[in-house]
Amino acid sequence: MTRTRIFSGVKPTGHLTLGNYLGAVRQWVEVDQHRADALFCVVDLHALTVEHDPARVRRLTRQVATLFLAAGLDPALCTVFVQSHVDEHTRLSYLLECTGTDGELRRMIQYKEKSAQALAAGDGVRFSLLSYPVLMAADILAYGTHEVPVGEDQTQHVELTRDLAVRFNRRYGDTFTVPRATRPPLAARVMDLQDPTSKMGKSHGVSAGTIHLLDDADVVRKKIMRAVTDTGRDVVYDREAKPGVTNLLEILAACGGPDRAGLGEAVDPRELAGAYDSYGALKKDTADAVVELLRPLRERHAALAADPGHVDTVLREGAERARATARPVADAAYAAIGLLPPVR
């Protein structure tokens, strides 16, 4: 029986956040790398679709990879690598551009939003912003992926990947595995502490509402103690009426509760609400829980950052394993679509 294959990645467009960890990376560490043939990638090519500082992209690419390892991804159990280190991603991307349509790409919600933001900032809209969902499809299809764990904002892109795979297979023969999007059951949706109606994002220009994984303990406490709450004084779990309080309760629950006794198990934020009669007490316990959750991760990151040779070895070996998996798929796609193989 073929083992389930999982692919997921993170763009190096900002410092990883508590939302990235609780919403994705922890699931990869605790579940996915143990149950499947899992590949986790720093998708650095996707960081080039908007204005960027080349040195910052390189620095954040290494930082994200190091944080993957610090969080607990084990190269003996999974494959950790950098997208641009495996040429098959871009090889397949062009074939899929020849399979997709302009209309499909222009319907992508993220393209509409990000192109509007670029125009508002006075920047041109790069073609890569339009085409990057095709590169994302190549990322996924190169590995015969079965499952793609994603948040709501990326589900549309996985649906496009499925459509491209099915269309290619029908036109040129059975070449690609058709993947499916999955929503991890352990994932937590973490909202911005200053705007609890928006997701906590690593690319936000204002960081007061964002907890970064490498923030020191004092910074974490300050951000949580200054988190926006709601009118009234009752601590109630209600995302519509009390989004600020609900966000704190969900973060605390995801960290295992006030004493972290439930870490690794589901903790009901509704039940936690009944234990508090003030916002201040809830904020204090949430800050304590987050600080303790991140403390070992920050310590492991410091040790790994002091040994860059080890990280380089992991990325080199990860790229070699990824390439060995992706190359036969890309070669088969080139043959299927009608390209003459190179003369050896």
Side-chain angles (χ1 to χ4, degrees), residues 20-336:
N20 296 128
Y21 178 71
L22 294 178
V25 177
R26 184 171 67 172
Q27 166 81 16
W28 302 349
V29 170
E30 296 181 357
V31 179
D32 291 340
Q33 68 174 339
H34 299 284
R35 73 175 181 87
D37 179 7
L39 299 100
F40 301 111
C41 183
V42 186
V43 286
D44 55 341
L45 294 174
H46 291 298
L48 311 184
T49 60
V50 294
E51 288 294 326
H52 64 277
D53 174 5
R56 186 171 187 266
V57 171
R58 280 192 293 271
R59 184 172 65 252
L60 288 175
T61 297
R62 174 172 287 279
Q63 184 185 93
V64 171
T66 304
L67 281 168
F68 279 0
L69 302 178
L73 289 181
D74 184 347
L77 298 174
C78 65
T79 301
V80 177
F81 68 107
V82 174
Q83 177 191 31
S84 64
H85 295 178
V86 180
D87 293 344
E88 280 64 29
H89 292 253
T90 50
R91 286 183 65 202
L92 273 182
S93 183
Y94 183 72
L95 299 195
L96 295 173
E97 285 182 10
C98 295
T99 307
T101 67
D102 177 78
E104 284 177 309
L105 295 177
R106 293 189 186 279
R107 285 195 294 271
M108 295 292 108
I109 294 171
Q110 287 211 356
Y111 171 71
K112 294 178 180 179
E113 293 176 347
K114 292 184 177 182
S115 60
Q117 291 169 4
L119 290 172
D123 299 326
V125 179
R126 299 185 182 193
F127 177 75
S128 57
L129 188 61
L130 177 65
S131 64
Y132 100 85
V134 179
L135 177 57
M136 180 177 172
D139 299 338
I140 296 165
L141 297 178
Y143 299 100
T145 302
H146 302 102
E147 296 182 8
V148 188
V150 291
E152 292 178 9
D153 59 338
Q154 292 293 334
T155 301
Q156 188 184 32
H157 291 159
V158 180
E159 288 305 312
L160 174 67
T161 301
R162 290 172 55 84
D163 291 342
L164 293 175
V166 169
R167 189 178 305 149
F168 191 101
N169 289 347
R170 285 176 177 168
R171 288 178 180 173
Y172 307 115
D174 192 17
T175 305
F176 295 121
T177 299
V178 180
R180 63 183 182 276
T182 59
R183 296 294 303 278
L186 297 181
R189 189 173 184 226
V190 181
M191 312 304 282
D192 190 281
L193 295 172
Q194 293 299 312
D195 179 11
T197 63
S198 299
K199 189 174 72 170
M200 185 180 288
K202 64 182 181 298
S203 302
H204 288 184
V206 178
S207 64
T210 301
I211 296 173
H212 298 109
L213 297 185
L214 296 180
D215 283 345
D216 64 38
D218 289 342
V219 171
V220 170
R221 291 184 192 281
K222 186 178 295 184
K223 288 180 178 180
I224 293 176
M225 295 307 293
R226 292 179 177 175
V228 168
T229 47
D230 311 287
T231 57
R233 298 187 177 184
D234 295 334
V235 178
V236 177
Y237 183 89
D238 186 330
R239 184 171 290 282
E240 295 299 322
K242 288 184 173 286
V245 170
T246 297
N247 189 36
L248 292 171
L249 288 167
E250 291 190 338
I251 292 172
L252 180 58
C255 292
D259 56 4
R260 302 189 75 213
L263 192 61
E265 301 176 3
V267 176
D268 191 341
R270 296 170 181 81
E271 293 182 6
L272 289 177
Y276 295 95
D277 56 12
S278 73
Y279 294 162
L282 172 60
K283 288 181 175 182
K284 180 182 180 303
D285 280 356
T286 303
D288 289 344
V290 172
V291 166
E292 282 305 302
L293 180 75
L294 298 184
R295 178 181 54 76
L297 185 151
R298 290 175 57 240
E299 291 173 353
R300 288 193 294 268
H301 176 271
L304 287 164
D307 185 10
H310 173 70
V311 177
D312 288 343
T313 297
V314 169
L315 295 180
R316 182 177 64 253
E317 293 178 352
E320 289 171 356
R321 290 201 300 271
R323 193 177 301 115
T325 301
R327 181 164 292 170
V329 177
D331 288 348
Y334 269 56

